[in-house]
């Protein structure tokens, strides 16, 4: 069961409903992976609304690991996501909103 107050969401990825959460460690991973430098850089990048498939993989992967799932980005890239690419983007938006609020 997810706890929205901790920034957790649930999403069907790889045929299973999984918990995703952008913990502090997951956010640090995203900063490094996306070259954002800091949380402000991450927020600016996501606010632009231009996100690549690589960005989606990084966001969902960090969220999955933050939610306790031992899934690498290469494994994630081979998994199905309910709703395909659009579904992955919607999951990322829900995760960012749960983490940063409506400003994400």
């Amino acid at each position: 069961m997810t706890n929205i107050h901790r920034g957790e969401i649930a999403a069907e990825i790889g045929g299973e409903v999984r918990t995703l959460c952008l913990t502090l460690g997951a956010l640090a991973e995203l900063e490094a992976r996306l070259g954002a430098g800091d949380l402000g850089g991450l927020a600016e990048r996501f606010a632009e609304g231009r996100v690549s498939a690589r960005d989606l993989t990084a966001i969902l992967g960090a969220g999955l690991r933050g939610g306790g799932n031992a899934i690498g980005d290469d494994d994630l890239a081979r998994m199905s996501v309910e709703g395909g690419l659009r579904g992955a983007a919607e999951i990322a938006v829900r995760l960012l909103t749960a983490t940063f609020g409506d400003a994400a």
Side-chain angles (χ1 to χ4, degrees):
M1 185 138 175
T2 60
N3 182 343
I4 192 67
H5 299 291
R6 289 193 307 225
E8 295 176 347
I9 66 163
E12 186 176 322
I13 298 174
E16 294 181 30
V17 176
R18 302 174 192 270
T19 298
L20 292 85
C21 183
L22 288 178
T23 62
L24 192 55
L27 289 167
E29 176 186 332
L30 272 178
E31 286 174 355
R33 175 99 189 268
L34 300 179
D38 60 22
L39 287 175
L42 274 180
E44 286 176 22
R45 182 178 177 126
F46 299 143
E48 290 175 1
R50 291 181 29 190
V51 179
S52 68
R54 190 174 336 175
D55 293 344
L56 285 177
T57 301
I59 295 165
L60 297 182
L64 283 164
R65 289 183 288 281
N69 301 275
I71 297 173
D73 288 350
D74 290 339
D75 293 328
L76 172 60
R78 289 187 292 276
M79 291 179 164
S80 63
V81 176
E82 184 178 19
L85 179 59
R86 181 179 180 156
E90 289 171 355
I91 294 167
V93 167
R94 287 194 303 122
L95 181 58
L96 293 169
T97 301
T99 303
F100 295 108
D102 290 329

